[in-house]
Amino acid sequence: MALGANVTRSQDRYDAFAKAVDTPMLVLTILWLPVLIVPLASSVHGTVAATFATVDYTVWALFSLEYIIKIWLAPQRGRFFKTHLLDLLIVAVPFFRPARWLDLGR
């Protein structure tokens, strides 16, 4: 059996997943901002730089995973991709996540 084969695509499953992860991912984004800003504002070296890099890559991995799961659960994947470009932008640049609250057209 393929990975995820027992997970059916439906609007209800998509909506439930999106609702469950929306607030935690927003909080993660806010907590992640210092990891982005501190290295830009001052030099970090050694273990601090390595820790910041690890956190940074982990956050991007989580946003990528969220996007992959959403596109998997979306009843119409092609339509999802075309109408959720902000979600794809969030994967590339997670600090845009608060802009989702402004995206009232969904």
Side-chain angles (χ1 to χ4, degrees), residues 17-98:
F17 177 78
K19 183 178 179 181
V21 299
D22 198 34
T23 300
M25 295 301 273
L26 179 62
V27 170
L28 178 64
T29 302
I30 293 167
L31 295 174
W32 169 79
L33 286 175
V35 173
L36 176 69
I37 295 169
V38 169
L40 295 174
S42 66
S43 283
V44 292
H45 303 284
T47 57
V48 173
T51 301
F52 277 38
T54 300
V55 170
D56 195 28
Y57 287 124
T58 301
V59 169
W60 267 322
L62 290 171
F63 278 99
S64 298
L65 180 62
E66 177 199 22
Y67 183 78
I68 290 167
I69 291 170
K70 282 183 174 181
I71 207 164
W72 176 258
L73 292 175
Q76 298 175 338
R77 291 179 183 160
R79 184 172 186 272
F80 173 89
F81 180 79
K82 291 176 189 175
T83 60
H84 291 79
L85 293 176
L86 182 59
D87 288 342
L88 185 56
L89 178 63
I90 290 167
V91 169
V93 190
F95 67 80
F96 282 124
R97 184 153 195 98

Side-chain angles (χ1 to χ4, degrees), residues 2-20:
L3 178 64
N6 60 345
V7 178
T8 59
R9 294 185 294 170
S10 75
Q11 191 64 47
D12 290 338
R13 286 184 187 264
Y14 171 85
D15 291 343
F17 177 78
K19 183 178 179 181

